């Protein structure tokens, strides 16, 4: 009898998988290592991997251990054909004790599959993307167990990212030119932009080249064939080394959002067809730079025509890679060098480059409008890089080495500032710093002046933020927004990948409360989704609605969360809950996950708490029923204010109407707190209002005892708490609740009145 532990051992973590990948110089080599290893662990005669080719709508056998593959033609199955095709079509695992007697059994000529009786097929997918299928076969009948199927599912989940990139490589076949741009030089003085990531930076300008790197024709032509091939191979090798070292550098801190970026690049470099096409062009007389460009553009064009949802992002990856190879060919990449003392100007920037320039000590970044995505600002904020978004095209025509000061609090760029401007900016910088660093020591625990505990916890977006939370003495994680690995990578991390991400977060503060929120995509947190764009995304397919409509994705996330908390407690928070019914359905799905994990003997947290975000007016109306059923509540004022006041927080024209001190909002908060007044530990507040010192007495006064704020604001909030008494807070709350309109509230709080 085989030892069941073998299967468990086989559930590698991503790092182990990556190391297996690093050892191999080709994609084919990697895949054949994988199938050999799985076959050995599962004690299976055969292990095969088929990848889905979306263009041909078929499954192509890419690697097999145990089957003799024909040299001359590829083995291909239609979707729905045979047990394998059937399992893929239905996206469910199929296990057969005696495959030849299955009505779906079909032999592929030359593979001699009849001799194998036991059969397991497990589809590989990432979120909505179908990637391929993994098949085990064994001579003895009834060889595989249910546990084997589960182990294969875990492995499929683990391999999905790498295989998805491999699948993309299979789809690439056509050609296209890209527009090119040129820069000139000019001078400016103050340029007003918009803050993307706060901070000050000072340094000399340096332009990050446009993605469409100019081909240096002088260097590229006239070289003989051998010289061209040598140059190409040296550039590819240099690119490979740089990417590997970048990947290693970010593995610890940013693996949740960034490491896969380089995996995709590395995979391209390992693809024999990609490299061979370039070499062939050089042999036919093309310069190496032109060869790189031609092959990459062929791939990019093909991606543009692909039906795969992630093609646009993949095209970006490719252009990023092209950029790096061309720069290496031109000898202009200096990975050892750094951007110390420099402010980078970039018409646009990829997440991978942002990570790189931060690793290379860039002081700040200015980007043009087209380049900003939520990804860039989130990464920049977490990495502490000041960034300004600037619509002035002349900024990107500045010559290198111009003295610059970036005030990314106000969103201003000062070009060649005179001494007076420098002095003023220095004063602003000092005052911003002293605001952040009070002379008073920050207490370990949040306490009012008269000793009432009010926990100050951290809102985090990336694993990287956990360190910041710890350094700032967070009393737990009050909100982990799990959507960022999905948004920044623009893909769906698998259950295994999510497990590793949540593990890092939970283990960072094992003795404090941690609240993991399930996916809240939609609204302003967009991810590529099938179907036409929504007319009102904030009122559309967002948060829990997406999860309840995609139970596979939801279950993967819930399983990953409770598995990551096998040795501790975890609080799972549901976003955008509008009714008790949605809560019930979610609870049921969580219970199903717990029952499945129990059956599979997979360690997990047995009693996770399930809570809801109070961020919709309907949730406030039903707060008594929700409070009675949910284990905890967290008020999300960013959305609550938006939905109560019908003010889109991203619309500049109505931005000044997004007021969390509106009497309607204050009353809704008081009502929510009242609903849990006998168990105040059940309630926290995590919207931006939680970090507004002017509102602190009100929040404490209505009974809130947990605040969750950005890590850098924790100290400020604890110190502010220490300045108020409970009695003062209660009086303030009562007075504010008695006011009739916005103007009265603003007068009471000393807020500049604004036009309504
Ligand atoms: C909120 O809505 O207040 C909240 C904390 O959630 P998010 O900002 O992620 O929508
Ligand atoms: Mg919200």
């Amino acid at each position: 009898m085989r030892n069941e532990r073998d299967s468990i051992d086989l559930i590698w973590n991503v790092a182990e998988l990556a190391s297996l990948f690093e050892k191999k110089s080709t994609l084919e080599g990697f895949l054949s290592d994988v199938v050999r290893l799985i076959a050995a662990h599962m004690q299976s005669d055969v292990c095969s991997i088929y990848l889905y080719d979306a263009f041909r709508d078929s499954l192509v056998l890419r690697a097999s251990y145990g089957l003799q593959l024909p040299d001359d033609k590829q083995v291909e199955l239609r979707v729905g054909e045979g047990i394998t095709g059937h399992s893929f079509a239905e996206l469910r695992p199929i296990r057969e004790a005696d495959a030849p007697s299955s009505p779906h059994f079909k032999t592929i000529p030359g593979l001699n599959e009849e001799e194998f009786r036991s059969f397991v097929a497990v589809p590989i997918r990432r979120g909505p993307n179908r990637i391929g299928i993994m098949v085990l076969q064994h001579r003895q009948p009834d060889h595989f167990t249910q546990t084997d199927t589960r182990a294969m599912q875990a492995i499929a989940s683990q391999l999905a990212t790498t295989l998805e990139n491999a699948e993309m490589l299979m789809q690439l076949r056509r050609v296209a030119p890209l527009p090119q741009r040129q820069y000139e030089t000019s001078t400016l003085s103050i340029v007003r932009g918009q803050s993307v990531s706060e901070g000050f930076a000072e340094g000399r300008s340096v332009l990050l080249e446009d993605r469409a790197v100019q081909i240096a024709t002088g260097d590229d032509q006239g070289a003989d064939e051998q010289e061209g091939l040598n140059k190409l191979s040296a550039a590819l090798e240099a690119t490979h080394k740089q990417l590997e070292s970048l990947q290693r550098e970010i593995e610890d801190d940013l693996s949740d959002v960034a490491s896969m970026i380089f995996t995709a690049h590395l995979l391209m470099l390992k693809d024999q067809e990609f490299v061979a096409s370039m070499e062939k062009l050089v042999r036919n007389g093309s310069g190496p730079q032109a060869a790189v460009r031609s092959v990459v553009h062929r791939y990019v064009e093909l991606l543009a025509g692909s039906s795969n949802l992630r093609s646009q992002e993949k095209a970006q990856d490719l252009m990023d890679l092209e950029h790096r190879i061309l720069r290496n060919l031109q000898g202009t990449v200096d990975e050892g060098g750094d951007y110390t003392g420099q402010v980078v100007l970039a018409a646009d920037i990829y997440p991978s480059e942002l990570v790189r320039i931060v690793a290379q000590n860039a002081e700040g970044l200015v980007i043009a409008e087209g380049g900003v995505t939520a990804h860039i600002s989130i990464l920049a904020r977490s990495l502490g890089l000041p960034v300004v978004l600037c619509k002035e095209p002349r900024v990107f025509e500045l010559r290198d080495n111009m003295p610059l000061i970036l005030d990314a609090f106000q969103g201003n760029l000062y070009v060649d500032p005179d001494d007076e401007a420098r002095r003023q900016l220095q004063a602003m910088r000092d005052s911003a710093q002293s605001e952040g660093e009070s002379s008073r020591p920050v207490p370990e625990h949040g306490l009012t002046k008269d000793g009432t505990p009010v926990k100050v916890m951290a809102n985090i977006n990336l694993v990287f933020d956990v360190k910041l939370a710890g350094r700032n003495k967070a009393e737990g994680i009050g909100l982990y927004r799990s959507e960022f690995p999905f948004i920044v990578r623009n893909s769906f991390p698998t259950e295994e990948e999510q497990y590793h991400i949540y593990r890092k977060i939970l283990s960072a503060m094992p003795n404090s409360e941690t609240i993991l929120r399930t996916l809240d995509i939609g609204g302003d947190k967009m991810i590529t989704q099938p179907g036409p764009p929504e007319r009102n995304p904030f009122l559309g397919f967002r948060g829990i609605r997406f999860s309840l409509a995609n139970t596979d994705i939801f279950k993967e996330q819930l399983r990953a969360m409770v598995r990551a908390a096998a040795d501790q407690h975890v609080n799972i928070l549901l976003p955008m809950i509008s009714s008790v019914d949605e809560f019930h359905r979610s609870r049921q799905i969580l219970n199903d996950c717990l029952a499945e994990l129990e059956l599979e003997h997979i360690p997990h947290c047995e009693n996770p708490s399930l809570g809801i975000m109070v961020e919709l007016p309907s949730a406030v109306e039903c707060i008594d029923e929700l409070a009675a059923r949910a284990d905890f509540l967290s008020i999300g004022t960013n959305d609550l204010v938006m939905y109560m006041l019908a003010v889109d927080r991203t619309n500049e024209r109505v931005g000044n109407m997004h007021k969390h001190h509106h009497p309607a909002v204050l009353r809704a908060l008081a009502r929510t707190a009242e609903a849990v007044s006998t168990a105040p530990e059940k309630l926290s507040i995590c919207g931006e209002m939680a970090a507004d010192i002017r509102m602190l007495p009100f929040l404490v006064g209505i009974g809130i005892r947990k605040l969750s704020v950005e890590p850098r604001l924790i100290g400020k909030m604890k110190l502010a708490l220490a300045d108020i008494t409970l009695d003062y807070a209660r009086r303030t709350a009562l007075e504010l609740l008695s006011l009739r309109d916005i103007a009265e509230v603003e007068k009471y709080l000393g807020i500049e009145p604004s036009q309504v």
Side-chain angles (χ1 to χ4, degrees), residues 260-554:
M260 293 304 163
I261 295 165
F262 301 118
T263 310
H265 294 186
L266 281 164
L267 203 69
M268 291 297 301
L269 287 175
K270 289 185 181 201
D271 181 48
Q272 280 170 336
E273 198 181 312
F274 182 69
V275 175
S277 315
M278 294 178 194
E279 289 170 348
K280 189 168 161 203
L281 286 175
V282 174
R283 281 203 192 88
N284 289 342
S286 170
Q289 296 182 43
V292 171
R293 169 142 302 167
S294 163
V295 171
V296 169
H297 288 185
R298 178 154 54 93
Y299 279 47
V300 167
E301 165 107 327
L302 194 90
L303 282 170
S306 158
S307 58
N308 186 319
L309 285 177
R310 295 186 55 224
S311 298
Q312 287 304 320
E313 291 76 40
K314 291 289 178 192
Q316 276 214 348
D317 271 351
L318 268 166
M319 287 189 281
D320 194 1
L321 180 64
E322 174 200 40
H323 180 246
R324 188 177 289 277
I325 303 173
L326 287 180
R327 303 261 289 147
N328 274 318
L329 272 168
Q330 293 171 4
T332 42
V333 166
D334 181 10
E335 284 296 319
D338 67 42
Y339 290 102
T340 304
Q342 292 183 313
V343 172
V344 177
L345 310 175
D348 63 1
I349 193 162
Y350 298 128
S352 63
E353 284 173 315
L354 184 100
V355 174
R356 176 173 65 83
I357 67 164
V358 172
Q360 292 179 208
N361 308 321
E363 309 286 346
L365 172 70
V366 184
I367 37 180
E369 190 176 24
V372 190
T373 57
H375 321 171
I376 294 299
S377 56
I378 292 150
L379 271 178
R381 267 185 247 152
S382 279
L383 294 170
L385 182 73
V387 181
V388 165
L389 164 71
C390 176
K391 295 180 186 170
E392 168 57 76
R394 285 178 299 161
V395 166
F396 304 96
E397 295 164 359
L398 286 173
R399 61 178 162 75
D400 279 357
N401 273 326
M402 288 290 279
L404 299 177
I405 290 184
L406 193 63
D407 170 5
F409 286 100
Q410 304 297 323
N412 292 335
L413 174 69
Y414 297 81
V415 181
D416 201 9
D418 58 20
D419 287 347
E420 182 48 32
R422 277 177 192 283
R423 259 194 302 278
Q424 279 182 18
L425 280 156
Q426 190 54 45
M428 278 162 60
R429 200 174 188 158
D430 293 344
S431 86
Q433 204 160 2
S434 57
E435 221 174 81
E437 298 166 6
S438 164
S439 49
R440 291 158 62 192
V442 174
E444 288 302 317
H445 299 287
L447 287 176
T448 60
K449 200 172 184 174
D450 47 351
T452 307
V454 179
K455 268 194 189 173
V456 187
M457 305 167 82
N459 284 350
I460 65 167
N461 299 324
L462 309 178
V463 170
F464 187 74
D465 299 333
V466 178
K467 284 190 186 160
L468 206 60
R471 272 205 300 274
N472 286 286
K473 301 189 181 165
E475 297 178 82
I477 307 290
L479 171 67
Y480 166 59
R481 293 181 167 99
S482 67
E483 51 274 10
F484 286 102
F486 291 74
I487 300 174
V488 177
R489 285 152 53 152
N490 237 320
S491 67
F492 289 78
T494 62
E495 180 180 321
E496 292 307 307
E497 287 167 355
Q498 291 182 62
Y499 164 79
H500 289 287
I501 294 171
Y502 306 148
R503 188 80 214 112
K504 281 190 184 169
I505 294 165
L506 283 158
S507 57
M509 291 196 188
N511 302 318
S512 318
E513 189 177 350
T514 298
I515 301 179
L516 305 180
R517 186 173 72 185
T518 62
L519 255 187
D520 183 21
I521 49 176
D524 59 343
K525 300 170 208 149
M526 292 313 291
I527 191 163
T528 321
Q529 281 190 42
E534 292 180 295
R535 224 177 301 160
N536 283 310
F538 279 116
L539 303 182
F541 201 46
R542 196 189 152 184
I544 197 68
R545 300 171 187 179
F546 177 91
S547 295
L548 289 176
N550 291 281
T551 39
D552 287 355
I553 295 171
F554 193 28

Side-chain angles (χ1 to χ4, degrees), residues 160-214:
T161 310
T162 316
L163 294 183
E164 185 182 38
N165 288 317
E167 170 251 347
M168 176 203 69
L169 291 179
M170 290 175 60
Q171 299 186 15
L172 307 175
R173 311 265 187 286
R174 286 178 260 152
V175 194
L178 274 188
Q180 296 183 359
R181 277 196 274 178
Q182 292 209 329
Y183 292 113
E184 293 155 19
T185 56
S186 75
T187 51
L188 296 161
S189 54
I190 300 182
V191 187
R192 302 207 189 282
Q194 197 182 316
S195 169
V196 171
S197 167
E198 290 185 345
F200 282 109
E202 183 167 4
R204 300 204 160 248
S205 62
V206 61
L207 195 67
L208 191 76
E209 256 74 2
D210 195 295
R211 303 293 71 70
V213 184
Q214 301 300 304

Side-chain angles (χ1 to χ4, degrees), residues 66 94 151 153 196 251 302 334 353 379 507 534 558 591 601 683 712:
I94 294 184
Q153 283 180 296
V196 171
E251 200 58 53
L302 194 90
D334 181 10
E353 284 173 315
L379 271 178
S507 57
E534 292 180 295
L558 293 171
N591 287 344
H601 306 293
L683 179 66
R712 65 187 174 87

Side-chain angles (χ1 to χ4, degrees), residues 71-134:
D71 290 335
D72 49 340
K73 62 175 176 50
Q74 65 179 14
V75 174
E76 210 171 326
L77 277 177
R78 274 178 293 111
V79 173
E81 188 180 359
I83 310 178
T84 307
H86 188 62
S87 160
F88 185 77
E90 300 208 337
L91 277 184
R92 65 176 176 91
I94 294 184
R95 179 165 59 99
E96 295 285 356
D98 185 32
S101 57
S102 155
H104 295 293
F105 184 72
K106 178 177 182 287
T107 55
I108 299 171
L111 290 187
N112 297 331
E113 289 182 289
E114 308 78 14
E115 42 182 284
F116 302 108
R117 310 281 297 276
S118 298
F119 188 102
V120 181
V122 174
I124 308 164
R125 62 185 180 85
R126 171 192 279 288
N129 269 3
R130 297 187 293 171
I131 297 166
I133 190 156
M134 203 151 46

Side-chain angles (χ1 to χ4, degrees), residues 479 481 483 517 520 525 542 613 615 635-640 649 686-688:
L479 171 67
R481 293 181 167 99
E483 51 274 10
R517 186 173 72 185
D520 183 21
K525 300 170 208 149
R542 196 189 152 184
M613 291 286 292
E615 53 185 350
I635 306 174
T637 48
N638 305 342
D639 279 316
L640 184 61
R649 66 185 186 192
C686 62
E688 275 168 30

